[in-house]
Amino acid sequence: IGFPAVGAVIAARRPENPIGWIFVAASLTLTLAVAGSEYATRVLVERVDRLPGAVWAGWLSSSLWPLGIGLLAVVTPLLFPTGRPPSPRWRPILWLAVTGIAVVVVALALLPGPLDDGFYPVDNPVGLEGAGDLLGLIIVGSGILLGFCLLAALTSLFVRLRRARGEERQQLRWFVYAMAVAGLGIGTGILTAAWSDAVSAAAWYVGGFGLAAMPVAAGVAILKYRLYDIDVVISKTVVFG
């Protein structure tokens, strides 16, 4: 709800800034992926209903995840808050990220064999038989490339934060703060899953709060509306933690 709502406001008030359009596109993509996954699981895995198109819903869900996540996790940090990379030398990273995302989506859509690594008991309806090994290598290679682009994108945020002054620095600090809360919560949730369900669940809630705060922080920063001093927020977070 947060990403499409804030994205629509940014796109309406700052149409020249691609961040708003990225938020809308990524959220719609992830919504389709989640809806397709639930639909296919209900029909193909749980066998609760007999509904049409379940195989195609599973295929769509399996292919769309990298697009939505890549737009939010890799492309957004490279463009925030101005809608442009920090400098021209960062543009190759942006194009590598976009290319890697597109290649992964296409390769997953054409990968033969059981859908979603065997989660759905059906084969890919458009899988290219005989090209599985090649497509698998392409997916792994593109995943490594996107991992590099993600590290570069996060580095660009901190480089920009270090060099920024005044209002731009305040804009960046809000967004970086939300990303840090999301990353810390989700990372802790994954690492503690085998140790304690309660701790893992609590950490995931913290990560979810950080994810929800990201579009809000971006909206506040880009629209430049009441940029409150974030030092107070950070200090209270540390004390509460």
Side-chain angles (χ1 to χ4, degrees):
I1 294 173
F3 279 104
V6 175
V9 173
I10 295 175
R13 300 187 61 181
R14 299 284 190 275
E16 74 284 356
N17 192 321
I19 297 295
W21 302 107
I22 289 173
F23 279 4
V24 172
S27 58
L28 290 178
T29 299
L30 293 175
T31 298
L32 285 174
V34 173
S37 175
E38 294 298 327
Y39 187 92
T41 299
R42 186 172 179 85
V43 178
L44 300 175
V45 180
E46 299 174 355
R47 301 189 182 278
V48 176
D49 296 310
R50 293 183 179 180
L51 300 171
V55 174
W56 291 104
W59 171 80
L60 185 68
S61 172
S62 302
S63 306
L64 283 182
W65 285 105
L67 177 58
I69 295 175
L71 287 174
L72 293 179
V74 183
V75 176
T76 298
L78 280 170
L79 299 178
F80 184 83
T82 62
R84 299 183 301 274
S87 65
R89 63 183 178 181
W90 289 93
R91 288 176 185 168
I93 302 295
L94 176 62
W95 287 113
L96 282 176
V98 172
T99 302
I101 293 169
V103 169
V104 168
V105 171
V106 173
L108 284 174
L110 299 177
L111 186 68
L115 280 175
D116 205 359
D117 201 21
F119 179 73
Y120 301 117
V122 292
D123 289 339
N124 187 343
V126 295
L128 296 179
E129 298 298 334
D133 292 338
L134 176 60
L135 290 172
L137 287 175
I138 291 175
I139 291 171
V140 172
S142 299
I144 295 173
L145 174 64
L146 286 176
F148 165 76
C149 291
L150 174 60
L151 291 176
L154 296 178
T155 301
S156 74
L157 261 184
F158 286 100
V159 168
R160 182 176 273 177
L161 178 61
R162 185 176 180 181
R163 294 177 178 175
R165 295 292 183 272
E167 189 176 74
E168 184 181 3
R169 183 175 180 84
Q170 197 78 327
Q171 290 175 294
L172 288 163
R173 292 178 74 184
W174 274 103
F175 190 69
V176 170
Y177 173 74
M179 286 190 65
V181 172
L184 181 63
I186 294 173
T188 303
I190 293 173
L191 293 174
T192 59
W195 172 62
S196 171
D197 290 340
V199 173
S200 178
W204 273 101
Y205 276 114
V206 173
F209 171 79
L211 284 175
M214 282 175 58
V216 176
V220 169
I222 293 174
L223 299 176
K224 301 178 182 178
Y225 177 70
R226 294 184 181 177
L227 283 173
Y228 296 109
D229 189 0
I230 194 173
D231 291 330
V232 177
V233 179
I234 293 176
S235 63
K236 286 186 176 181
T237 302
V238 173
V239 171
F240 180 78

